[in-house]
Amino acid sequence: MTPSNDIAEIEEAKISGNYSARKIQRWNPSSIYATSLDNTTNNDAIHMNLPENHISPAQMYSTDSGKMFHAGSICIIMVGLPGRGKTNLSISLCRYLRWLGVRTELFHLGDYRRKNTDLNNASDLNFNKLNSNSYFSLNPENSKIKILKQEIKNELINDILTFFQSSNGQIAIYDAINGISNERNNLYNIFKSKNIKCLFIESIIDDLNLLNDNIKDAVNSPDYKSWDPKDALINFQNRIKSNESYYENLNSKSENLPFIQSFNFGEKILINDLKHDFLATKIIYYLLNAKIKSHSIYFARCSLNKLNFKDDPPITDSGKIYIKKIFDTLSTDFSNNKIPNDLVVWTSTRLRTIQSSQIFKDAGCTVIHRPELTQLNPGAAEGLTDEELNKKFHDSYLSHESDPYHHRYPRAESYHDLALKIEPLILEMEKLPYDILIIADETIIRIFYGYLMASNAKDIPMIEFPQNEIIKITYHTYNNAIKKLVVEGIDKD
C-alpha cells in the first residue's frame, strides 16, 4: 500500500526515551521553509500571514508539511448576527490555535470588503447612503450590490483554498455573518469537494447587557475609524436590524452540518455532528473559556533576579522599595490614580514574591500564587559564563546557540517547557474579565508575551523586559496593543 501524505515516516529512536525520532530534527523547520519573519516586538502579529519558518511557542512537534498529523484541513466558518463577537472570537481562537502549533489564518470578510470598496467614495453604488441597509443586508435589493458581494466572497473563498493548497495551511477561520442556511450548505459542499472539513461556530448572545456592551465595542471597527461615536453606534444598530429578518440560526433538524453553538461566550455550548478528535476537543475547551476581552494584562519583573534558582530568601529592604515603586507607577494608569479592587495579581510561590504582593492585598486586590510562574530552571548551566558553558558542555552549548527556545542544558528547563507549563494559566487568563498583574521573572514574562502578541518561538528568548518598566498589553477586538509604564528611580536592570 502506498502511504498517504498524512502518515509520518518513523525511524528507530537513536536515544532511549518515550518518544519517536522523526527524520527531520524535532524542532528545526524543514528544508521547504525558507523565509524569515521580520519581527517587531511592539506589534501584535496575529494578522500577519504565517511565515514558512514559523514555530509556535507551545508546538508539540514539527513535521515536513507543517501540519499536525491526522488532523486534516479544517475551515472554521463563523456564524452570527453583527455585534455577536464573531471577530473577537475568531482572533482569540486563531491566537490559541497558533500557540498550539496549528497553522491557522484569519479571513475576515470585512477586510475583503474594505479592500474592494470605499464606504465614503463609491458613487457608482451610492455606497455611503446604502451602507446602513442595502449592502449590509443578507438580502440586498440592489442587483449591483448583490453581484459585488458575491465577487468579494468568491475572492475570499479562493484565498482560503490557496492557503490550504499552497501554504501548508491546516485551519482557516472565515469570519462573516454567514446567516443564510442555503449559503452555508453551499460553502460546506465547496470545501468538501476539496477534501477540506468544515466546522461552523455560531455565536449567540441573548444576555442583553452583554449584547449592549459588545455592540459598543463593535463600533471600534475599522469601518468607523473616522466616525463620530454616536453616529457609528446608530449605523451599526441599523446593520443589525437589516439582517435580523433574514437571519437563520444553525439548526440540526434542517442542516446536516457539523457545528458548535456558543451562547454568551461559553455560558452554554451545543454541539452537533462533531467528531471529538484532538483539534475539535481543543476548540470546544477553548470556547468554554473564551470571553469578550477589553481589559489589560500588566507585567512587572520581580526583584532579586540574580539569585540562584533554589534560593528562596525573604524580601529585602531594596525589594520593598522596588515593589512600592511598581505599585505607585501602576496606580497612575487607573482613574483617580488608585489601584482598583478588582485587579487580580499573580505571582510565583517564592517567598519574596509572596511578600511583594502584600501591598496589593492590602489595597483590596485578589492575589493568587502560582507555582507555574517560577522562573526557568537553568540546571547545570546555572552561574556559568558563555566561555565556561562552551568548555564544559560544548555540544550542548552549540545546540543552545542554534535553538535557545527548545534546548535545555542538563537538569534544566527550556522555554518550550515553560510554555507547556503555563497553558492552564493562559486559558484562565482568557476567561477572567478583569485586569491582571503578573509579577514574575523575565523568562516567564517572555512566554506570556509570546502568546499575547503571536510571536515566533525563535524570537521569544531574545525579548528584553527592563526592570524599570511595567508592560501593559490591552485586548482589543482586532489586535492587542502595548503600552510601557516607566518606573522612576529604578535601574534598567
Side-chain angles (χ1 to χ4, degrees), residues 221-356:
S221 158
D223 285 346
Y224 300 113
K225 62 183 179 181
S226 60
W227 285 54
D228 177 272
K230 292 182 180 178
D231 293 338
L233 182 59
I234 293 171
N235 183 273
F236 191 78
Q237 289 170 333
N238 286 337
R239 288 193 192 184
I240 297 174
K241 291 177 183 177
S242 66
N243 283 284
E244 285 177 331
S245 59
Y246 301 107
Y247 182 82
E248 298 171 311
N249 291 100
L250 286 164
N251 190 324
S252 59
K253 295 180 180 179
S254 59
E255 294 178 276
N256 187 27
L257 300 174
F259 68 75
I260 300 171
Q261 286 179 316
S262 175
F263 292 81
N264 301 323
F265 272 75
E267 181 182 280
K268 178 176 70 173
I269 283 182
L270 299 181
I271 299 170
N272 181 69
D273 194 27
L274 194 63
K275 294 181 180 179
H276 290 271
D277 55 24
F278 174 78
L279 285 181
T281 301
K282 283 288 188 180
I283 290 168
I284 291 168
Y285 189 60
Y286 181 81
L287 293 176
L288 286 168
N289 287 278
K291 301 297 179 187
I292 289 284
K293 296 179 286 294
S294 58
H295 57 284
S296 299
I297 312 295
Y298 296 87
F299 297 96
R301 284 177 54 179
C302 54
S303 62
L304 297 177
N305 289 285
K306 305 302 181 183
L307 292 171
N308 288 333
F309 178 78
K310 293 183 178 180
D311 291 344
D312 191 18
I315 191 171
T316 62
D317 289 340
S318 61
K320 293 176 182 178
I321 293 171
Y322 170 75
I323 199 64
K324 178 63 165 62
K325 289 181 179 293
I326 291 289
F327 182 89
D328 292 342
T329 301
L330 185 63
S331 300
T332 64
D333 203 53
F334 296 99
S335 60
N336 300 320
N337 292 331
K338 183 180 180 182
I339 299 285
N341 291 339
D342 60 3
L343 176 71
V344 177
V345 180
W346 290 356
T347 79
S348 74
T349 53
R350 294 297 177 93
L351 177 59
R352 62 189 181 277
T353 56
I354 291 174
Q355 292 175 338
S356 293

